[in-house]
Amino acid sequence: MLRPPARLLHTAAALCLALTTVLGLPAVPASAAAPDVSATVGADCPLGRLQLTLANRSAASQTFTVTWPGRSGSPWTRTVAAGGNTMLQWTVPPGTPYSLRVTASGFDRTQAGTARCGLEAGTPQMNTTALLGTGTAITGLNGPGGPSTGTAASVRIPGMAVTNDGTIIAVADARVDGSYDLGGGTNNIQLVLMRSTDDGLTWEPPRVIHHAATTSEGAGDPSVLVDRSTGAVYVFYTYSPRPGVGFWAAGSGSNAANDPDSLHIQYIKSTDDGAGWSSPVELNPSVKDPAWQQLFASSGHGVQTSGGRLVQPIVYRDAAGVSRAANIYSDDHGATWRRGSAAAGDVNESKAVERSNGDVVQNMRHNSVRSRFLATSADGGRTFGAAAASAALTDPLCNADETSYLLPGQRGAGGAPLRTATVLFSNNAHPTSRNDLTVRLSEDDGAHWTARALVRPGSAGYSTTAVLARGEIGVLYEVGATGGIFFARFTLPWLKAAG
């Protein structure tokens, strides 16, 4: 439930160009270690711009030389500060062949291919697409005269999952009148769906799938959860009944379904891969402790464990006002929901992920410490041991994501997901600001992060990941205070090669 707001571009074109990265660092003598640098080739799909991102993760500045034979202006030279990055861009039509040689001290890579979307062999292995922004027409946006087509002043808070048939469900806030969180401003926030049935190559136009009865009631912070056993899709969200009722507002001492002074956790449900959605289901009477001051559903996605349990992270403020992360869970495919115990205090949004041994780890954003905090549960995300800061995962106080690398079809007993030690983590890699959205890979339950790739240089924000039907990786993310909602997809080999 945090800043920054967003602005945008236009709904994605059906034909995209693509983003790809270097295949790794060249071998160097042991006496002369190569600098930790990368060069990522990609394209802005709707705008037809081939992009080259130069990242310098070493402790000293690095000078890059970029050569594109036959291209006007080649070669180009850029000096990148330690820990920094820069981007070069060229406007090219789809189908344009490219050959980019990037050199730096101890680094020499040539990348060649055809600028085309789709991740086929011989094309870039990463695509990026603009989905939603302040200029995007949204169908069904509620206004004074009822639902119509309109735009939002800010679009934020990505939520995403992939259904059993491979449909990508991407949801975000349409903050109609401004960038405020729930309870702020006019409180007019509505849930917008973007849906793809071809692995993210093309997208249906954005449409509102839930809005409150009036424009002074807000519904936002979406989280998508798929029950692999039944195929049902849940979109959890937080409902604010009036302006002034936000997460930091005073508590009411009630968990009544109609409490006008509390935030409420609710969900809508789809049984047809996101084509249609149910009426809202209210959960406060069953999941809110009346002593809690406020609560909300943590945005992004929930998880189903290998035992079939549905787990949705939440955040609440206890009787003393301390914000805590926990889960609500269902063992009967969503018929009933219960609350678990706190995973940690002085924390905010989180994700739950099942380890290969069946433990559930809560990966949490802290309110003041710039590291991810982790706590482990041996009972499916209901109770937790002590939380501790991660030595490997820094964080600039922002929502992030950890998720298992499992295809939608990788299911075991009762149709529930299998277990795996391979996990993905996405967040803003800059330690103090919401910049440089990066995806990391671990193949040992998060003990070591052996590969990482810069997905979005510069301003970023909240992000959420999902594994697509063919094993590709999708990242849905927001950009800065006035950016928008974007979707990137890439292959697992691309991520491993990025270093």
Side-chain angles (χ1 to χ4, degrees):
M1 309 248 325
L2 275 265
R3 305 280 75 102
R7 101 173 168 237
L8 177 84
L9 299 163
H10 301 288
T11 303
L15 178 65
C16 300
L17 295 179
L19 296 172
T20 188
T21 191
V22 294
L23 298 180
L25 298 177
V28 294
S31 59
D36 188 1
V37 299
S38 68
T40 303
V41 175
D44 184 307
C45 294
L47 301 182
R49 292 189 302 219
L50 189 71
Q51 299 174 326
L52 174 67
T53 299
L54 306 174
N56 176 20
R57 299 187 289 253
S58 64
S61 65
Q62 298 292 332
T63 298
F64 295 83
T65 299
V66 180
T67 304
W68 185 346
R71 189 75 181 182
S72 177
S74 173
W76 300 270
T77 300
R78 297 290 187 272
T79 298
V80 181
N85 55 70
T86 191
M87 178 185 286
L88 287 75
Q89 299 186 105
W90 303 268
T91 299
V92 297
T96 298
Y98 63 88
S99 179
L100 295 169
R101 181 185 180 189
V102 181
T103 60
S105 176
F107 181 90
D108 189 339
R109 267 294 176 261
T110 297
Q111 301 170 84
T114 302
R116 181 179 298 117
C117 210
L119 305 184
E120 299 94 346
T123 68
Q125 294 296 287
M126 182 174 174
N127 304 335
T128 187
T129 304
L131 295 186
L132 181 66
T134 57
T136 306
I138 302 170
T139 302
L141 199 66
N142 196 32
S148 63
T149 299
T151 61
S154 175
V155 290
R156 283 207 60 209
I157 318 297
M160 180 175 63
V162 179
T163 71
N164 283 358
D165 82 340
T167 297
I168 305 173
I169 304 294
V171 191
D173 282 8
R175 300 186 169 192
V176 178
D177 299 320
S179 61
Y180 44 75
D181 292 331
L182 285 165
T186 64
N187 201 32
N188 188 0
I189 300 176
Q190 305 174 34
L191 298 180
V192 177
L193 170 72
M194 291 78 65
R195 184 171 174 264
S196 174
T197 59
D198 58 6
D199 289 316
L201 182 64
T202 62
W203 294 81
E204 296 175 359
R207 59 186 172 95
V208 171
I209 55 170
H210 178 67
H211 62 76
T214 70
T215 57
S216 64
E217 302 168 71
D221 279 22
S223 176
V224 189
L225 173 56
V226 178
D227 185 337
R228 297 286 176 214
S229 304
T230 67
V233 183
Y234 298 82
V235 171
F236 291 85
Y237 62 91
T238 305
Y239 165 69
S240 170
R242 60 181 174 83
V245 179
F247 184 61
W248 300 105
S252 65
S254 169
N255 65 353
N258 61 351
D259 183 358
D261 298 316
S262 177
L263 294 177
H264 296 249
I265 293 178
Q266 301 178 344
Y267 71 78
I268 53 176
K269 178 181 174 181
S270 175
T271 57
D272 55 8
D273 300 294
W277 296 89
S278 72
S279 298
V281 176
E282 166 71 35
L283 292 180
N284 270 24
S286 58
V287 304
K288 183 191 176 190
D289 185 329
W292 293 353
Q293 295 188 22
Q294 295 293 349
L295 79 170
F296 68 92
S298 186
S299 65
H301 64 80
V303 65
Q304 185 177 34
T305 69
S306 58
R309 173 174 287 178
L310 303 179
V311 179
Q312 169 58 44
I314 68 169
V315 186
Y316 69 91
R317 286 172 55 230
D318 64 18
V322 176
S323 65
R324 299 184 180 276
N327 295 310
I328 59 174
Y329 63 94
S330 174
D331 291 323
D332 53 14
H333 301 289
T336 60
W337 294 85
R338 300 178 181 180
R339 64 177 178 267
S341 301
D346 200 20
V347 293
N348 210 287
E349 295 118 333
S350 70
K351 298 295 186 298
V353 59
E354 186 176 30
R355 297 299 189 215
S356 59
N357 67 353
D359 287 347
V360 170
V361 168
Q362 209 78 10
N363 188 319
M364 298 171 282
R365 163 190 177 179
H366 201 272
N367 289 333
S368 58
V369 179
R370 297 183 183 275
S371 293
R372 302 301 295 181
F373 271 64
L374 306 176
T376 300
S377 169
D379 58 6
R382 188 176 66 86
T383 64
F384 289 86
S390 168
L393 302 177
T394 61
D395 188 74
L397 313 182
C398 188
N399 196 5
D401 188 39
E402 184 177 348
T403 192
S404 298
Y405 182 83
L406 287 170
L407 279 66
Q410 290 183 297
R411 303 196 291 272
L418 299 174
R419 297 177 186 173
T420 179
T422 302
V423 290
L424 303 162
F425 177 74
S426 69
N427 83 328
N428 302 291
H430 195 282
T432 60
S433 62
R434 295 183 178 185
N435 288 328
D436 302 338
L437 181 67
T438 298
V439 175
R440 300 173 189 259
L441 172 72
S442 171
E443 296 180 283
D444 58 3
D445 284 320
H448 303 90
W449 300 93
T450 54
R452 59 177 173 174
L454 179 61
V455 174
R456 175 80 185 201
S459 180
Y462 285 21
S463 65
T464 187
T465 59
V467 180
L468 309 185
R470 299 184 303 185
E472 298 150 2
I473 298 162
V475 183
L476 189 71
Y477 61 92
E478 62 183 20
V479 173
T482 55
I485 303 295
F486 289 77
F487 177 77
R489 62 177 183 155
F490 47 86
T491 64
L492 185 61
W494 175 89
L495 177 57
K496 289 183 176 181

